[in-house]
Amino acid sequence: MPHEKRLSAIYPGSFDPLTNGHLDLVERSVRLVDHLVIAILRNDQKQALFSVAERIDMVREVVHGIPNVEVAAFDGLLVDFAAHCGASVIIRGIRAVSDYEYELQMALMNRRLRPEIETVFLMASEAHSFISSRLVKEVIRLGGNIADLVPPSIEGRLKRRLLEENGEE
Ligand code: PNS
């Protein structure tokens, strides 16, 4: 029996918060690789709604039933963290043509930094192609229904966070 090489991938992002689109990508990625690290960026310039520690908790809560998935935070270069994790693949989702340019730039830069790490793009399912963390936050802030856009535990956390923000808790 030849030695089988284990394929590890990293799925990086801000996940502020994780959406059903992200979850769909996680579920599809684990069918392609042996081990998946969901990597949450620390020190982002963007003003986040949830702290990194909260996001780690939230993502762990949602993916705990999915085998071979790990959740971690990283700072510095993504490719360095991928190498540190032993991941040879970076997974990114593409929803629409508008995602493509930024994703291509990142993929080419990452390839220049570490050519041995390959970026693999998965197309978002039609049902999720309009979902983004930014729009989910905007819709819930304006009183819209986000039940089909995020996992139930995340919806609960979002509702509580908005009540806190409004000084109602
Ligand atoms: O969910 P996002 O905000 O689209 O994720 C962006 C992310 C985290 C993938 C990207 O900002 C990133 O990889 N940051 C780490 C810093 C880095 O490696 N920069 C150079 C790569 S182009």
Side-chain angles (χ1 to χ4, degrees):
M1 188 77 171
H3 174 70
E4 279 186 38
K5 191 167 167 266
R6 269 173 58 85
L7 184 62
S8 286
I10 192 160
Y11 177 35
S14 306
F15 303 106
D16 185 45
L18 176 123
T19 66
N20 282 345
H22 294 127
L23 183 56
D24 177 50
L25 242 75
V26 169
E27 285 167 342
R28 285 163 50 207
S29 301
V30 292
R31 295 206 292 265
L32 302 174
V33 299
D34 301 302
H35 185 249
L36 182 73
V37 180
I38 302 175
I40 302 175
L41 177 66
R42 276 186 209 283
N43 295 342
D44 198 355
Q45 322 285 355
K46 296 182 217 162
Q47 183 64 44
L49 184 60
F50 294 99
S51 70
V52 171
E54 286 173 322
R55 281 180 267 159
I56 292 177
D57 265 11
M58 292 157 80
V59 177
R60 282 204 179 124
E61 202 176 3
V62 172
V63 303
H64 81 273
I66 308 176
N68 306 319
V69 176
E70 187 188 328
V71 185
F74 76 103
D75 40 34
L77 286 176
L78 169 62
V79 284
D80 288 346
F81 186 65
H84 167 82
C85 296
S88 52
V89 171
I90 297 170
I91 305 264
R92 290 288 288 173
I94 297 231
R95 290 164 298 193
V97 178
S98 50
D99 284 337
Y100 177 78
E101 205 169 326
Y102 171 60
E103 293 298 333
L104 177 68
Q105 272 184 351
M106 280 206 299
L108 294 179
M109 181 61 80
N110 285 333
R111 183 189 290 164
R112 190 187 159 91
L113 293 166
R114 279 195 191 254
E116 68 280 14
I117 298 180
E118 199 64 63
T119 300
V120 170
F121 294 110
L122 298 185
M123 298 302 147
S125 314
E126 304 94 277
H128 300 122
S129 58
F130 64 95
I131 306 178
S132 70
S133 300
R134 184 178 63 80
L135 283 184
V136 163
K137 288 182 280 193
E138 185 170 320
V139 169
I140 194 168
R141 277 205 168 101
L142 298 173
N145 183 358
I146 56 153
D148 295 336
L149 310 182
V150 295
S153 62
I154 305 259
E155 185 188 5
R157 295 249 203 173
L158 274 163
K159 284 184 173 159
R160 287 200 295 281
R161 178 50 43 91
L162 290 190
L163 287 174
E164 284 163 20
E165 272 192 356
N166 297 332
E168 292 171 39
E169 226 173 53

